[in-house]
Amino acid sequence: MYRFLLTRRWLGLLLLALVVAASCVQLGRWQLHRLEARHAKNDIITGNASARPVQPGEVVGVGQGPAVDEQYTRIRATGHYDPARQLLVRNRPFQGGVGFYVLVPLLTDEGPALLVNRGWVALGDGVGGAPAVPAPPAGQVTVTGRIRPSEPASTTGTPPRGQVTRIDVSTIRRDLPYAVYGGYADLVEERPSPREAPALLPPPETSEGPHLAYAFQWFLFACLALGGYVVLARREAADRRAAASRPTRSVPVTIPG
């Protein structure tokens, strides 16, 4: 009764179902790999966030960013800001809005400068949406932050003077007259605290994301592809059995007299 499965049409349907199912399984496994990577990143974030702050030179060097397992390490540095070389990082989201990150070099007592992301400011009403940025504290300041690796170089056009599209340390340091650490820091705290300051960025997210749900969906699609083939085959077999069991209608024969 199932010999029809050996026909070209049904062999083609079987091949299609197998290809679709295999592709869905691979996509599900990819989502599981992404989930594992997310778990590893979360472990780094939580572990480094609970550790005592260290000097920047313990995790970054001049022209050298942090290792993967040292990202988000809390650092503490003392020095003074260089507001004349402040940069605004364009098109950065924050709590449903879009604005700028405020990036200021901190000339540390250790020697090299550390680029500090002091936080976020909203778009302004001036030319190009340039905002009014609260000035950093003058004089000596102690900064606590989370160390981050340099961002990839920008592939877009040239932004207005005093603005950048990426925190690409290797590019930014070319315009600075002093040595610069390879990574940068998201500000957590600065002392003395100014009266006005950009909005501090929240701690990095440590959720698992949607990867497990997506993996389940892809595995479900694989089962549906194979199950759909089985359902179609069973329905075809049932139709063939019904046709075979249907009584043959006799046709009366008229004999001429």
Side-chain angles (χ1 to χ4, degrees):
M1 186 57 67
Y2 283 92
R3 292 180 62 86
F4 66 88
L5 295 179
L6 299 178
T7 62
R8 179 179 298 180
R9 173 171 174 264
W10 281 94
L11 288 175
L13 287 175
L14 176 60
L15 179 61
L16 177 62
L18 291 174
V19 169
V20 171
S23 300
C24 291
V25 168
Q26 286 298 107
L27 289 169
R29 293 180 61 186
W30 174 64
Q31 287 293 341
L32 291 179
H33 289 322
R34 294 190 66 188
L35 179 62
E36 292 176 1
R38 189 66 176 262
H39 285 163
K41 180 180 178 181
N42 290 345
D43 290 341
I44 292 173
I45 292 173
T46 54
N48 291 341
S50 60
R52 65 175 182 82
V54 300
Q55 292 292 320
E58 296 185 36
V59 290
V60 290
V62 175
Q64 178 183 353
V68 173
D69 59 352
E70 291 176 335
Q71 294 180 24
Y72 301 99
T73 295
R74 292 206 307 159
I75 57 94
R76 183 168 291 157
T78 300
H80 62 277
Y81 283 118
D82 183 4
R85 293 179 171 85
Q86 172 178 285
L87 293 171
L88 297 180
V89 187
R90 298 166 57 86
N91 300 323
R92 298 297 165 132
F94 181 78
Q95 295 182 352
V98 177
F100 299 88
Y101 286 166
V102 182
L103 194 69
V104 189
L106 176 74
L107 304 178
T108 69
D109 292 346
E110 288 184 291
L114 174 67
L115 298 179
V116 178
N117 178 8
R118 296 190 62 234
W120 181 89
V121 292
L123 292 172
D125 298 327
V127 177
V133 181
Q140 190 176 66
V141 60
T142 298
V143 167
T144 302
R146 294 181 292 267
I147 204 70
R148 301 294 309 280
S150 175
E151 295 181 353
S154 173
T155 56
T156 59
T158 303
R161 183 177 179 84
Q163 299 182 14
V164 293
T165 54
R166 299 286 182 89
I167 308 179
D168 174 20
V169 180
S170 62
T171 300
I172 293 172
R173 70 181 181 184
R174 297 173 189 168
D175 297 326
L176 300 177
Y178 34 71
V180 181
Y181 284 121
Y184 71 97
D186 285 335
L187 182 66
V188 174
E189 182 185 38
E190 57 188 2
R191 294 189 178 278
S193 300
R195 291 184 178 180
E196 292 185 83
L200 292 179
L201 302 185
E205 184 184 2
T206 56
S207 69
E208 292 188 347
H211 304 302
L212 184 60
Y214 288 165
F216 177 78
Q217 289 177 2
W218 284 119
F219 293 144
L220 178 61
F221 292 156
C223 294
L224 290 176
L226 296 176
Y229 174 82
V230 172
V231 169
L232 290 176
R234 291 174 63 89
R235 183 176 297 172
E236 178 72 10
D239 291 344
R240 287 171 178 263
R241 283 195 298 268
S245 62
R246 199 173 294 129
T248 303
R249 188 174 179 180
S250 60
V251 178
V253 177
T254 304
I255 301 175

